[in-house]
Amino acid sequence: MNKSIYLLFGFLVVFFSSKAQSNLSVEIPKKTIPVMKTSKESSLLGLWVDDETGHKVEKLVQREGTNSSFYFHNNPFVKSADGKSWLMLFYGSTKNGIQLFSIDLASKKIIQITDKSGSKGGEILGRKTRKVFYRMKDSIFSTHIDTHKTEFVFKFPEGVPGSVATLNADETLLGGVLSSNEEREIFRNNPQKSDYFNKIYEAKLKRTLITVDVATGKLTQLYSENAWLNHEQFSPVDSNLFMYCHEGPWHKVDRIWNIDIRNPKPTLIHKRTVEREIAGHEFFSPDGKTIWFDLQIPRSETFYLAGKNLETGIETRYALKRNEWSIHYNIAPDMKSFAGDGGDAGQVAHAKDGMWLYHFVPKGDSLVSEKLVNMKNHDYHLEPNVHFSPDGKYIIFRANFEGTTQIYAVEIHKN
């Protein structure tokens, strides 16, 4: 082969080699997420990997003041107006008092929904009507989450304390209770739960379950008893099924009950079988077929997450270890796993190492747990109240790592 051919061959090799390299994409290094202890410092940073669990944690709501997610069984999620993402409602402090906000879980955009001054109670979201309902003093209002139009719904009778806590499946009725001025006085004089809890139970004052028609404001009294009726929840699918509890020391009450509002005869969901057995912090599964609850047989000894199937009457029990017990449990949207918010040593389980957020997967008659967040720098006087995100990828909770209440999300699966 002559010299000119060698030169041509070399040129072609260099040309095509350079051409190939020029078509290669340049990989940009990903931003490194710090691995650190879950604490005030990590919370102020806003995004970190828990050094004990390896799960990514994010301070979800980035705004000044306090920010509080909903109670564990109150749905805070609704599709955005264009249907492309999910919104989560929450309460946040402002110069004009506590107000309701929404956050787009994709873009993290925050919008204030209410602006009426004054304290607000109730965490009731209607996905169909796209309205959030709340109580101010003796009146109930609704605000549309997109237009922010606020409407008056109902005013409780003069001198009759009352509240609403739930909305039925077709979003026509609010459910709640009427109480008494005697009960209100006990609460006023004993503001701490440790002070009022036994006093309210032992007083045996009359409470009445009610519904309020959203369109007309008509109040209907369903059922009365000289007992602390509480924790009202409508079924997510059956507009007539209303769950409530007998509140008080759990080992002294048969707690969980249902009524059909068309024929309000109480039906007990779980009957205690041994002394000091407890069942509580009940919640519906998304399909409305099962009521899940914390079950201990007896109290502080043996721990289960139990579920009563309302169609078959069969009760399922998943065993937990003492350290895995949680103040509240919740169920994933696909109903294949659960979450728990743990608890400190002063809680009913007296767990020595229970200050964790957990993800639970059923296996046989037990739950297999994975620790998600180390909660040892959280004060459990504020209950975390876990929620699964609508896509089932995150668990959203509230905590006071910074000393104030804020909202966080932890990724369930590690990257």
Side-chain angles (χ1 to χ4, degrees), residues 118-179:
S119 62
K120 297 173 180 61
E123 301 168 352
I124 309 170
L125 173 60
R127 283 184 174 178
K128 298 174 183 176
T129 58
R130 303 184 65 79
K131 294 179 179 179
V132 60
F133 297 84
Y134 50 93
R135 175 174 56 86
M136 297 185 67
K137 294 184 178 179
D138 58 0
S139 297
I140 308 300
F141 298 89
S142 70
T143 299
H144 197 282
I145 64 170
D146 303 316
T147 67
H148 304 168
K149 179 182 178 181
T150 296
E151 297 177 318
F152 168 80
V153 177
F154 172 77
K155 179 180 172 65
F156 286 99
E158 188 71 30
V160 181
S163 63
V164 293
T166 185
L167 182 68
N168 72 343
D170 65 13
E171 302 185 8
T172 59
L173 296 173
L174 292 162
V177 295
L178 299 179
S179 57

Side-chain angles (χ1 to χ4, degrees), residues 285-300:
S285 60
D287 62 5
K289 293 181 179 180
T290 304
I291 293 174
W292 293 97
F293 53 95
D294 171 15
L295 176 64
Q296 299 174 35
I297 310 175
R299 181 182 188 269
S300 306

Side-chain angles (χ1 to χ4, degrees), residues 350-369:
H350 305 303
K352 294 182 179 179
D353 185 25
M355 297 174 70
W356 302 89
L357 289 194
Y358 291 100
H359 183 230
F360 298 110
V361 177
K363 184 177 181 180
D365 59 0
S366 299
L367 292 178
V368 177
S369 69

Side-chain angles (χ1 to χ4, degrees), residues 224-268:
S224 296
E225 190 174 345
N226 286 346
W228 187 3
L229 308 183
N230 201 20
H231 222 239
E232 313 94 82
Q233 299 171 66
F234 267 115
S235 161
V237 297
D238 184 343
S239 294
N240 297 306
L241 186 59
F242 192 17
M243 177 169 65
Y244 66 99
C245 81
H246 280 189
E247 190 66 272
W250 289 8
H251 60 284
K252 296 181 180 181
V253 296
D254 284 321
R255 177 178 164 104
I256 311 167
W257 299 79
N258 275 352
I259 60 171
D260 186 318
I261 63 173
R262 297 165 299 186
N263 180 27
K265 181 180 178 180
T267 300
L268 182 62

Side-chain angles (χ1 to χ4, degrees), residues 23-46:
N23 287 333
L24 293 175
S25 60
V26 178
E27 185 173 337
I28 300 173
K30 294 181 180 178
K31 182 180 179 181
T32 301
I33 301 174
V35 178
M36 57 194 303
K37 186 181 297 295
T38 295
S39 63
K40 178 179 180 179
E41 289 72 26
S42 63
S43 180
L44 291 171
L45 188 65

